[in-house]
Every structure is written in C-alpha cells, then in structure tokens.
Amino acid sequence: MTTSANPTLREMIGSTPKSAILTSETALLVIDFQKEYFEGSLPVPDAREAMENAGKLVAWADANKINVYNIQHHNPIGAPVFAMDGDTVAFHPDIRPAKHHHVLQKTSVSVFPTTDLDARLKAQGIKTVIVAGLMTHACVSGAARDAVPLGYDVIVASDACATRDITGPNGKTVSHKTLHDASLATLADAFAEVLDTEAILALPTG
C-alpha cells in the first residue's frame, strides 16, 4: 500500500524502484543534444545543465560497459529546424558520440517508429533503458512512452533532460520549468521511474 497522498499509478499497481543496474541488460539513450537547441531556432534555457548531466551518465555508462545510443533528429533539406543540410542538426561538440557508441538518426518525435532501435536493443538482451535528452515533453517523453509497451523498464534522468517555454492554444505561455516538471510527473505516474543523475549513479551495478 502506498503512503503518498497522491500515489502514482505505478505505485498503486506495485511497481518497485530499481535497486541495482544490470549493466548487460541496460542501455543509455542520449536524445537530440544537437546545436538546434543551443544556437538554433529552438533555444532550451536549461540545455547546458542537462547536457552536463547527460555527460556524467555517458561517462558512467562507458565505465560500466553499458551500451550508449546517441539519437539525432533529422528533417528534410531546407526545413526550418534540424535540416539535414544545416549546421544546427549536428550534435553539440561537448557531447559528440564516441567511436564505440551507437548513433541513430530519427525523423519522428519518438526514436522508436523511424529507427531499428527496438530490434537492436532486443538483439542485445536489453531490458532497461535510461533516457536523457531534449526535449522533456517531446522526444524524451515519446521514447519513454513507446519503450514501455515494447517491454522495457524505463528510467528517465530528470536533470539530464530539459525543455523550452511554449505558448499553448489558449494563448498562455507555459514556462519551461513548469512544462518540464509536468512532463516528468506524467512519466512517473504511468511510464517510468524518474531519478536525478546522482541517484542513478549511486545505484549498484552488476
């Protein structure tokens, strides 16, 4: 029985937090840390902090021989954002993939519909995905939501994600912090365990 005044659906059905990370069954998804969010048309205020925390997760994953998948969004030539012929489609130089990392290009919000990520993960025996990236409400949430019905346990790194201010259809602007927090609350309710970077790094590995 949960003790929270507002328990999540996951708590109510008995989901339990991870007590350890099985490195051979875990992959880290590093999603869309591309120049578009730093110097392009979609500036994310907390992108650098999120990228720094994602970098810590990448270093931890490499040290523990956990598979790292770097995801890159592509749009057609001449598109206003993420154009495959533009400068801002590139990964940010501070988090470029290492040679031994996997790199996938996607054309959808979630990485799963337009790549072979699921097949790759299943071939490697992956059962848990840790998700970091930009933006929290879009590509991070999309990946986390899609991973669950495909059979994966999902951990979202709360401070290795970020998003931007958005004006809604009612004309009101939702701040990036409110949108980030609401997105994480939604994921924690029904889809994923949400932990900050330090909590993930503190989990025993084996």
Side-chain angles (χ1 to χ4, degrees), residues 121-198:
L121 295 177
K122 285 187 167 58
Q124 294 171 334
I126 300 301
K127 297 180 180 177
T128 298
V129 292
I130 300 171
V131 184
L134 304 173
M135 297 179 283
T136 317
H137 76 283
C139 299
V140 170
S141 290
R145 287 168 178 259
D146 282 355
V148 174
L150 292 171
Y152 302 101
D153 292 335
V154 180
I155 298 173
V156 174
S158 59
D159 57 356
C161 306
T163 191
R164 72 191 203 282
D165 298 345
I166 294 180
T167 299
N170 61 0
K172 296 180 180 179
T173 297
V174 180
S175 75
H176 60 280
K177 291 188 181 298
T178 297
L179 184 57
H180 176 75
D181 289 347
S183 300
L184 292 177
T186 302
L187 292 174
D189 187 41
F191 300 97
E193 185 173 357
V194 177
L195 300 172
D196 64 21
T197 298
E198 291 307 312

Side-chain angles (χ1 to χ4, degrees), residues 28-103:
L28 173 64
L29 309 185
V30 184
I31 299 176
D32 296 357
F33 280 105
Q34 295 167 249
K35 289 183 177 181
E36 193 71 69
Y37 291 124
F38 295 85
E39 56 193 63
S41 299
L42 295 170
V44 172
D46 298 327
R48 181 161 291 278
E49 179 183 355
M51 181 175 64
E52 290 172 355
N53 286 319
K56 294 177 184 178
L57 290 170
V58 170
W60 166 81
D62 284 344
N64 286 282
K65 294 181 169 54
I66 292 172
N67 280 287
V68 177
Y69 282 83
N70 290 270
I71 312 303
Q72 183 181 32
H73 194 87
H74 275 191
N75 279 337
I77 292 172
V81 292
F82 299 110
M84 63 176 61
D85 60 335
D87 293 334
T88 55
V89 74
F91 288 113
H92 191 284
D94 290 348
I95 199 166
R96 285 197 184 107
K99 289 183 178 179
H100 63 281
H101 293 165
H102 308 273
V103 178

Side-chain angles (χ1 to χ4, degrees), residues 1-15:
M1 182 177 294
T2 60
T3 57
S4 170
N6 298 292
T8 67
L9 290 172
R10 296 180 76 250
E11 289 171 334
M12 293 172 71
I13 64 173
S15 296

